[in-house]
Amino acid sequence: MDAYRDFPIRADESGSVRVRYGETDEISGFSISGNLVRWDFEAYYGDHMTDLWDLPGGHEDGLAKALASGTLTNWLDEHGWTEIALETAQSAASPGLSTRTYHREYNRLASEWAESDETHPDLEFTYVIDFATFGTPSFFVAEENKAALLAEINDLIERRHGD
C-alpha cells in the first residue's frame, strides 16, 4: 500500500486535520485514512509545522487516535473540548443568510483557515479544524473557548455579506 498516495495532500482535503495554536501562532497537522494516522510535520505543508504535544491527551492518547479509532465523542468529553459543527455555527448566526450561502461560506472559511497563515484569526487559544470526520468541516475547541470561536466564525461570515 502506498500510504502517501492514500492520504490527503492539501490541508483542506477530506481526511486532513489542522491544529492552530493561538498562543504561539503555530500550526500542526495530521491526516486520517481508515484507522491510520500520518503526522504531517513537514510532509507537504512546509517547515512551519509543530508537534501535537500541547493538545489534551498528548501524542499517544490524543485527538488523532480518537479520530482514527472512532472515539471522538469520548475524547472530547474526557478533555473538556467541544465540537462546533456546521449546524451549530449556523444556529448561532444572525438570521438573514440563506442556508446555501451559509454552508458555502462556512466551508470556505474552514478551508482558508486551514491553508493559510494570513487568513486565520488572531485568537489566543488552540482550536482544531477537522476535515476527516464528516462531510463538512468541524471545529474542535476547549469548552471555555467555544463562544469566542463561534463568534469569530459567524462574525467573519456575516461581515463578508454585509449583515
Side-chain angles (χ1 to χ4, degrees):
M1 174 174 132
D2 183 356
Y4 284 98
R5 191 183 70 217
D6 294 336
F7 283 96
I9 294 174
R10 291 178 25 141
D12 64 344
E13 284 183 4
S14 179
S16 180
V17 178
R18 290 291 156 262
V19 182
R20 288 277 186 186
Y21 300 96
E23 302 87 346
T24 60
D25 204 32
E26 294 177 301
I27 184 173
S28 66
F30 56 93
S31 300
I32 308 280
S33 180
N35 61 355
L36 299 176
V37 176
R38 183 187 75 200
W39 304 100
D40 293 333
F41 298 111
E42 296 183 23
Y44 292 107
Y45 308 107
D47 60 0
H48 63 288
M49 302 291 278
T50 188
D51 62 36
L52 294 167
W53 297 108
D54 291 335
L55 277 180
H59 187 350
E60 295 299 322
D61 295 313
L63 178 61
K65 182 176 179 182
L67 285 166
S69 64
T71 59
L72 174 62
T73 302
N74 293 339
W75 187 92
L76 292 170
D77 289 343
E78 287 172 11
H79 295 96
W81 277 53
T82 188
E83 176 186 8
I84 299 175
L86 169 65
E87 294 79 16
T88 304
Q90 187 172 12
S91 68
S94 300
L97 283 181
S98 72
T99 299
R100 173 182 275 173
T101 299
Y102 191 91
H103 287 207
R104 184 185 66 239
E105 291 302 324
Y106 176 90
N107 289 327
R108 178 179 158 201
L109 178 142
S111 295
E112 288 174 355
W113 288 6
E115 288 280 350
S116 173
D117 287 331
E118 289 79 36
T119 58
H120 75 283
D122 186 18
L123 300 173
E124 294 297 319
F125 53 84
T126 296
Y127 63 95
V128 175
I129 307 171
D130 169 33
F131 296 92
T133 310
F134 307 107
T136 57
S138 288
F139 293 84
F140 305 133
V141 67
E143 284 280 350
E144 64 265 17
N145 299 318
K146 179 180 180 180
L149 184 57
L150 195 52
E152 189 73 29
I153 290 168
N154 282 322
D155 182 56
L156 181 58
I157 290 173
E158 290 168 10
R159 278 190 288 135
R160 284 182 174 175
H161 287 277
D163 294 346

